[in-house]
Amino acid sequence: MTVFEPEHRFVNVGSLRLHVVQFGPAGGRPVMLLHGFPDFWIGWRRQIDALASAGYRVIVPDQRGYNTSDKPGGVREYALPRLVGDVVALADALGVERFHLIGHDWGGIVAWATGATLPHRLDKLVILNAPHPEVLLAHAVHSPTQFLRSSYVAFFQIPLLPEAVLGARRSALLVRALRGSSRQGAFEEEDIVEYRHAWEQPEALSSMLNWYRALPFRPSLKARIVTPTLVIWGLQDKALEFGLAQRSLALCEDGKLELFAQATHWVHREERGAVNAALTAFLDG
């Protein structure tokens, strides 16, 4: 197996600089991986080698507000159209016209929105444990348990207090959240060291939280998803009910669902081999 070394660089995306890591053959078919909260590019480490070895040019940005990427001030800078714009502007900056897009958690929400608004840029779409933006509120209204699971979003709307709580004792609560929402071993101690370093970047916590604070400025995304789509879902997700996957899949013209009964929200960490096999089979198909 060819071993590919990561290529770190900063890419100008509009008025921002994003830290981007690339792997795989330079002429490979491009696939972009979008992380969620409170992740950054290392969240995809267990997928990168498999995709690069399968011939893909793997593009993994730290999205705006995360790790060493720029962190613009103001909540509206994190509204969904800006996040989608970053994806396309990054592809443009790298000379990529069409690409596969894979997203987890908030990265999945951005991927859904990209599929709804810019399908002509995408070849295939893969979503891991992330609801389509149009279904979360509708599902929560009819599901008291999902409403309770999502209550942390209301807390994140409060100015300053969430930053203080999440940053206390070197982000002990965020570490506990990662480990408490995943299977044992999903996050090694070496990972936690890197996560803490990313969260301790200046303005990082406020910028990460601003993704949630910008939710009131989310546009309507009624267009159906026409890009071939694979939804991967860990059924032990403590934050997101399976009903969200079903509702999201119903918005796809050509959708497929793959379930992992024992996996949590962090399905790609916990079921590395099976998830990687599902990704390459879908993208190659």
Side-chain angles (χ1 to χ4, degrees), residues 147-161:
F147 187 82
L148 289 173
R149 292 187 191 198
S150 302
S151 59
Y152 67 93
V153 177
F155 172 65
F156 286 173
Q157 305 303 312
I158 302 170
L160 301 179
L161 179 60

Side-chain angles (χ1 to χ4, degrees), residues 102-168:
I102 302 176
H104 170 251
D105 185 78
W106 254 109
I109 293 175
V110 176
W112 278 122
T114 305
T117 57
L118 297 164
H120 61 285
R121 299 299 299 268
L122 303 182
D123 286 324
K124 290 187 178 177
L125 182 64
V126 183
I127 309 293
L128 294 84
N129 281 70
H132 188 290
E134 289 295 317
V135 308
L136 182 56
L137 181 59
H139 183 80
V141 166
H142 294 94
S143 172
T145 53
Q146 181 59 60
F147 187 82
L148 289 173
R149 292 187 191 198
S150 302
S151 59
Y152 67 93
V153 177
F155 172 65
F156 286 173
Q157 305 303 312
I158 302 170
L160 301 179
L161 179 60
E163 286 91 331
V165 172
L166 295 182

Side-chain angles (χ1 to χ4, degrees), residues 42 45-46 175 178-179 182-196 269:
I42 71 166
R45 272 187 177 152
R46 300 182 186 187
V175 172
L178 289 183
R179 288 183 162 155
S182 62
R183 293 197 322 227
Q184 186 173 2
F187 293 91
E188 303 290 349
E189 191 57 41
E190 294 81 1
D191 297 322
I192 298 303
V193 171
E194 292 189 76
Y195 278 105
R196 281 190 162 122
R269 283 181 167 269

Side-chain angles (χ1 to χ4, degrees), residues 183 233-237 259-264 267 270-271:
R183 293 197 322 227
W233 205 272
L235 290 173
Q236 303 306 313
D237 194 322
L259 303 177
F260 289 83
Q262 302 306 315
T264 72
V267 56
E270 298 162 348
E271 301 287 353

Side-chain angles (χ1 to χ4, degrees), residues 234-255:
L235 290 173
Q236 303 306 313
D237 194 322
K238 294 182 178 180
L240 301 170
E241 294 180 343
F242 173 54
L244 292 167
Q246 295 172 305
R247 284 177 178 264
S248 298
L249 197 69
L251 299 177
C252 299
E253 296 288 346
D254 181 9

Side-chain angles (χ1 to χ4, degrees), residues 71-125:
K71 301 166 182 63
V75 169
R76 287 182 181 268
E77 289 294 321
Y78 299 87
L80 199 49
R82 296 289 180 95
L83 308 177
V84 172
D86 289 347
V87 171
V88 179
L90 175 58
D92 290 343
L94 296 176
V96 171
E97 177 60 31
R98 293 181 64 90
F99 54 99
H100 300 309
L101 185 60
I102 302 176
H104 170 251
D105 185 78
W106 254 109
I109 293 175
V110 176
W112 278 122
T114 305
T117 57
L118 297 164
H120 61 285
R121 299 299 299 268
L122 303 182
D123 286 324
K124 290 187 178 177
L125 182 64

Side-chain angles (χ1 to χ4, degrees), residues 28 37 53 63 267-268 284:
F37 175 92
S53 297
Q63 298 196 79
V267 56
H268 53 311
D284 289 343

